[in-house]
């Protein structure tokens, strides 16, 4: 009796144990494979950044190494004043009998348009962020925030089209600009695209300031305006600065708005009422018609590579500032 | 004493109130201006496009050298491109978010690198994605496929639907990752622990407990990615989009038309601006309605799921 019961008692759990072990093993293999692929796919974003760097760089590389290309242009000569007589020493004219590659008009064009857009977008976005975080009632905030996000949802080509048919006419009638399409029109158009990002980063920064700061200021007898201007804004300062940096990065990389609305003449000129040609618009307009592997092709990839590195640095700095501020204020989110 | 102090005090208070109201008014004015910018652009496109929009416009191809007819091929191309993009971007984005939230520890250097790359990927200029698509997908991957599978014949080593979609998938990856990560983080820890305590494995917990809870966030990310992808032009300029095609794309290696590119071409290369203006407005309106509807749906889903999360349902 005792023996029998012992046997059955032993055999029953033994069977289930082996069953469950084999079950677990089967599940385990499948699971481990899936988990491994999740980890592998997660590395995709790292791979993407590296691949962008490598493959944009690869196409631009002949500019540094190929003697064929060097007969026409070198990396250094992109930035050096042109020596040939006739015309400005700073000319971007890649399609002509003697191709002229000088990138300064393009850099000036990009910076000009970007600065105009920041002049319009920064006060509006920071003002709106102050209102939404410091003054608005929750119900108003719940309407205003998504509405501003919706502005980010307008495709840039539609903004560019709007700038072309509506803004350009308005700007010319109001300011009497020399060219109908110019840096001012493109810059105002660009501000539509960067208001949402400057607003949302600034608003995050303001909201990250602990309530105790405000309460302390108000308890000391400050008015709300004093509290906002002298306590909340300085505390959120780095985050708001980061929003400008990120807005700058977005603006300098934007393509469709400027290619449609800036006029695209490569002038080395500080006048915002005149036509401008940005780096992005140059790539967009010229790469489609260029011979693959030609010097011009390599130069356009080099421009793209420089743009990539510049925006990468700008965005990295912006992100670091945001993180640093969050840690300092003790609001990690 | 009271008589001497009170006038001064009252003027002080008066000045302060003045400044106080000025800041509130100025900042409210900024909100009004931004909302007006949104309203003006939407109203202008709607007003200009409303006359053009008809069943014929959305269902027929362009005619007479792009000066008449409709935009059906462009709608078709945009939808095909974004569908393919979604198929590639959403699983990759969700997997990345799962890795960041469920597998990697906060201090893991790999996870931090992934985070930095996702954030920076979101900031890469869209035209650079276009260059990358051309240099990597077409010149390297496509040509490679041609050399090995088609004996050097140009089958995949040229701009087409597949390469445009994959380029856009990389561009929209951060949108999916960020939205999914936020949604997964908002799933209460108790649910995770309850599932694990009942004997579920980590993967079962992820697929049967966490992802169903986070579905709203994943959907939001997907819709925002689709909306972003549908409106992008710069990344597809050199990777597959075409000005005019007599036939709809039927294969992955066919070129295609897109609404955004159609707007760009009509706006900048039209031989007769006044004649194409109605078409231009019509195309812009179709694109705007498409992206706006998607955005509104995404915002609605997100606010609903956030409210539910706050209510603890």
């Amino acid at each position: 009796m005792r023996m029998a019961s012992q046997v059955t008692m032993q055999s029953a759990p033994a069977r289930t144990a082996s069953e469950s072990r084999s079950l677990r093993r089967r599940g385990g293999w499948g699971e481990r494979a899936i988990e491994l692929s999740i980890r592998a796919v997660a590395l995709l974003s790292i791979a993407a950044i590296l691949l962008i760097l490598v493959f944009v760089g690869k196409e631009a590389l002949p500019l540094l190494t190929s003697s064929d290309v060097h007969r026409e242009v070198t990396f250094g000569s992109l930035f050096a004043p042109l020596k040939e007589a006739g015309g400005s020493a700073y000319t971007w004219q890649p399609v002509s009998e003697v191709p002229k590659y000088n990138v300064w008009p393009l850099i000036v064009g990009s910076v000009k348009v970007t600065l105009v857009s920041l002049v319009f977008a920064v006060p509006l976005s920071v003002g709106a962020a102050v209102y939404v975080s410091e003054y608005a009632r929750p119900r108003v905030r719940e309407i205003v925030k998504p509405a501003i996000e919706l502005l980010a949802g307008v495709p840039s080509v539609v903004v560019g089209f709007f700038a072309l048919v509506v803004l350009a006419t308005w700007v010319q009638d109001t300011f009497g600009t020399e060219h109908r399409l110019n840096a001012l029109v493109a810059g105002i158009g660009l501000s539509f695209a960067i208001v949402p990002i400057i607003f949302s980063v600034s608003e995050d920064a303001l909201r990250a300031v602990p309530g105790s700061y405000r309460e302390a200021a108000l308890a000391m007898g400050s008015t709300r305006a004093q509290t906002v201007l002298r306590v909340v804004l300085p505390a959120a300062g780095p985050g708001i600065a980061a929003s400008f940096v990120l807005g700058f990065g977005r603006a300098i990389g934007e393509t469709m708005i400027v290619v449609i609305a800036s006029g695209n003449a490569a002038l080395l000129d500080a006048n915002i009422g005149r036509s401008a040609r940005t780096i992005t618009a140059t790539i967009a307009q010229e790469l489609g018609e260029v011979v693959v592997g030609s010097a011009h092709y390599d130069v356009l990839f080099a421009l793209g590579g420089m743009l990539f590195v510049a925006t990468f640095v700008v965005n990295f700095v912006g992100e670091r500032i945001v993180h640093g501020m969050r840690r300092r204020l003790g609001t990690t989110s | 004493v009271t008589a001497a102090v009170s006038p001064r005090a009252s003027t002080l208070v008066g000045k302060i109130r003045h400044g106080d109201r000025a800041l509130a008014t100025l900042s409210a004015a900024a909100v009004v201006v931004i909302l007006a910018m949104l309203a003006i652009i939407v109203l202008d496109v709607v007003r200009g496009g409303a006359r053009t929009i008809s069943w014929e416009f959305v269902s027929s191809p362009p005619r007479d050298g792009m000066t008449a007819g409709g935009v059906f091929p462009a709608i078709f191309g945009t939808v095909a491109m974004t569908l393919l993009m979604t198929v590639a971007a959403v699983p990759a984005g969700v997997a990345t978010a799962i890795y960041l939230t469920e597998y990697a520890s906060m201090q893991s250097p790999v996870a931090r690198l992934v985070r930095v790359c996702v954030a920076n990927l979101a900031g890469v200029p869209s035209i650079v994605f276009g260059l990358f698509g051309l240099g990597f997908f077409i010149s390297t991957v496509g040509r490679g496929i041609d050399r090995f599978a088609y004996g050097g014949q140009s089958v995949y080593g040229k701009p087409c639907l597949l390469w445009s979609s994959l380029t856009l998938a990389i561009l929209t990856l951060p949108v999916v990752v960020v939205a999914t990560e936020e949604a997964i983080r908002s799933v209460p820890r108790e649910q995770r622990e309850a599932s694990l305590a009942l004997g579920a494995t980590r993967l079962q917990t992820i697929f049967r407990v966490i992802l169903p809870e986070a579905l709203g966030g994943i959907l939001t990310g997907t819709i925002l990615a689709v909306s972003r992808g549908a409106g992008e032009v710069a990344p597809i300029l050199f990777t597959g989009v075409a000005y005019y095609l007599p036939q709809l794309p039927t294969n992955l290696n066919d070129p295609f038309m897109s609404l955004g590119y159609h707007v760009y071409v009509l706006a900048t290369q039209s031989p007769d601006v006044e004649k194409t203006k109605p078409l231009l407005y019509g195309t812009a309106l179709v694109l705007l309605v498409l992206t706006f509807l998607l955005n509104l749906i995404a915002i609605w889903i997100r606010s609903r799921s956030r409210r539910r999360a706050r209510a603890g349902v």
Side-chain angles (χ1 to χ4, degrees):
Chain A
M1 276 288 283
R2 267 184 68 196
M3 288 274 285
S5 75
Q6 258 183 343
V7 167
T8 49
M9 271 176 74
Q10 272 178 348
S11 62
R15 209 184 301 139
T16 49
S18 75
E19 255 177 28
S20 72
R21 201 182 306 133
S22 69
L23 253 172
R24 204 188 305 149
R25 195 183 297 143
R26 246 188 288 154
W29 270 101
E31 290 209 353
R32 232 175 294 161
I34 295 174
E35 290 184 335
L36 204 67
S37 49
I38 288 176
R39 284 172 188 275
V41 171
L43 301 179
L44 207 68
S45 52
I46 302 177
I49 289 282
L50 288 177
L51 287 174
I52 292 173
L53 197 61
V54 168
F55 281 91
V56 173
K58 196 189 88 175
E59 305 289 319
L61 196 64
L63 194 60
L64 296 176
T65 58
S66 160
S67 52
D68 271 356
V69 172
H70 283 177
R71 268 197 288 275
E72 236 178 87
V73 58
T74 66
F75 188 75
S77 78
L78 286 178
F79 298 92
L82 301 164
K83 289 188 193 76
E84 290 84 10
S88 161
Y90 303 96
T91 308
W92 177 265
Q93 221 170 63
V95 187
S96 68
E97 223 160 289
V98 183
K100 290 174 186 148
Y101 301 99
N102 186 287
V103 295
W104 287 112
L106 310 182
I107 294 174
V108 168
S110 277
V111 170
K112 199 162 68 166
V113 172
T114 299
L115 288 183
V116 171
S117 75
L118 285 173
V119 165
F120 280 91
V122 161
L124 284 177
S125 316
V126 176
V130 166
Y131 183 77
V132 167
S133 106
E134 306 299 317
Y135 290 102
R137 276 170 287 155
R139 288 202 55 155
V140 176
R141 179 186 304 144
E142 270 174 40
I143 295 168
V144 170
K145 272 188 78 166
I148 296 180
E149 278 172 38
L150 208 54
L151 189 59
V154 180
S156 58
V157 69
V158 173
V159 176
F161 157 68
F162 173 77
L164 174 78
V165 295
V166 179
L167 272 181
T169 310
W170 178 77
V171 165
Q172 196 164 37
D173 291 349
T174 315
F175 301 101
T177 50
E178 189 182 334
H179 300 136
R180 183 169 182 275
L181 296 179
N182 52 50
L184 184 58
V185 174
I188 297 175
L190 257 189
S191 67
F192 281 67
I194 63 172
V195 158
I197 185 165
I198 300 181
F199 166 79
S200 73
V201 176
S202 296
E203 207 255 349
D204 271 354
L206 290 169
R207 303 253 282 174
V209 176
S212 56
Y213 283 38
R214 293 183 188 86
E215 284 152 19
L218 292 170
M220 302 282 282
S222 319
T223 63
R224 273 177 86 181
Q226 285 169 333
T227 308
V228 171
L229 292 176
R230 302 204 190 148
V231 176
V232 180
L233 276 175
I240 293 173
S243 79
F244 303 166
V245 172
L246 293 172
F248 178 89
R250 177 68 60 85
I252 203 134
E254 173 55 58
T255 308
M256 297 319 290
I257 296 172
V258 290
V259 79
I260 296 175
S262 69
N264 290 316
L267 310 169
L268 190 76
D269 190 345
N271 184 347
I272 57 170
R274 300 187 71 196
S275 176
R277 188 183 189 88
T278 66
I279 296 172
T280 53
T282 304
I283 300 171
Q285 289 207 308
E286 294 175 10
L287 195 67
E289 284 143 23
V290 85
V291 180
V292 175
S294 65
H296 189 186
Y297 178 86
D298 300 333
V299 169
L300 291 178
F301 269 88
L303 285 180
M306 287 190 273
L307 199 61
F308 174 68
V309 172
T311 51
F312 192 92
V313 170
V314 163
N315 288 321
F316 191 78
V317 170
E319 298 284 337
R320 293 315 307 163
I321 301 175
V322 171
H323 273 277
M325 193 197 69
R326 287 214 174 116
R327 204 168 306 137
R328 198 168 50 82
L329 291 174
T331 45
T332 44
S333 67
Chain B
V1 175
T2 36
V5 167
S6 66
R8 258 190 76 198
S10 73
T11 56
L12 246 174
V13 168
K15 261 184 204 160
I16 287 165
R17 285 236 179 94
H18 206 65
D20 218 29
R21 209 169 300 150
L23 186 65
T25 313
L26 272 177
S27 63
V31 171
V32 171
V33 171
I34 294 176
L35 295 184
M37 284 158 71
L38 178 68
I40 287 171
I41 195 166
V42 171
L43 289 179
D44 181 68
V45 174
V46 168
R47 209 193 48 190
R51 266 167 286 158
T52 317
I53 295 283
S54 62
W55 175 245
E56 201 220 329
F57 185 73
V58 294
S59 66
S60 66
R63 279 183 285 111
D64 306 336
M66 313 285 265
T67 54
V71 289
F72 178 70
I75 296 176
F76 182 89
T78 304
V79 171
M81 169 187 84
T82 44
L83 271 181
L84 269 174
M85 174 204 87
T86 310
V87 169
V90 170
V94 172
T96 307
I98 290 174
Y99 167 77
L100 288 175
T101 51
E102 303 297 316
Y103 287 102
S105 71
M106 284 305 268
Q107 286 86 29
S108 152
V110 178
R112 275 166 70 181
L113 189 61
V114 170
R115 246 176 253 283
V116 168
C117 285
V118 168
N120 277 296
L121 210 50
V124 173
S126 51
I127 191 79
V128 173
F129 279 102
L131 292 175
F132 165 68
L134 180 60
F136 178 66
F137 286 126
I138 295 175
S139 301
T140 309
V141 180
R143 295 254 166 80
I145 294 174
D146 287 351
R147 209 169 307 131
F148 286 112
Y150 298 96
Q153 219 181 324
S154 178
V155 179
Y156 282 98
K158 62 179 190 192
C160 64
L161 189 54
L162 177 64
W163 302 138
S164 282
S165 305
L166 290 182
T167 306
L168 282 180
I170 298 179
L171 181 138
T172 52
L173 187 69
V175 181
V176 181
V177 175
V178 170
T180 307
E181 203 189 334
E182 190 201 313
I184 292 181
R185 284 204 190 284
S186 70
V187 176
R189 212 182 61 207
E190 290 84 349
Q191 293 200 9
R192 223 159 292 191
E193 284 164 359
S195 166
L196 292 171
L198 284 169
T201 62
R202 192 145 67 159
L203 203 66
Q204 284 170 333
T205 306
I206 289 169
F207 277 103
R208 306 214 185 136
V209 177
I210 295 171
L211 287 188
E213 278 294 307
L215 201 63
I218 298 172
L219 212 58
T220 309
T222 306
I223 295 169
L224 287 177
V226 167
S227 155
R228 173 91 195 274
E232 281 290 348
V233 180
I236 60 175
L237 274 177
F238 326 114
T239 54
V241 82
Y243 170 63
Y244 173 73
L245 295 165
Q247 275 150 358
L248 295 176
T250 52
N251 280 314
L252 287 179
N253 64 340
D254 285 339
F256 63 100
M257 291 171 69
S258 101
L259 286 167
Y261 187 65
H262 208 68
V263 170
Y264 170 56
V265 170
L266 289 179
T268 55
Q269 287 158 33
S270 167
D272 185 349
V273 179
E274 284 311 310
K275 213 172 165 190
T276 48
K277 213 169 181 181
L279 289 181
L280 188 48
Y281 263 112
T283 315
L285 180 56
V286 173
L287 181 59
L288 193 66
V289 166
L290 183 73
T291 52
F292 250 50
L293 276 183
L294 290 168
N295 268 285
L296 283 173
I297 294 170
I299 289 170
W300 179 68
I301 293 177
R302 192 174 45 189
S303 74
R304 217 180 61 143
S305 60
R306 271 190 190 154
R307 214 173 303 142
R308 277 178 54 192
R310 233 176 287 145
V313 178

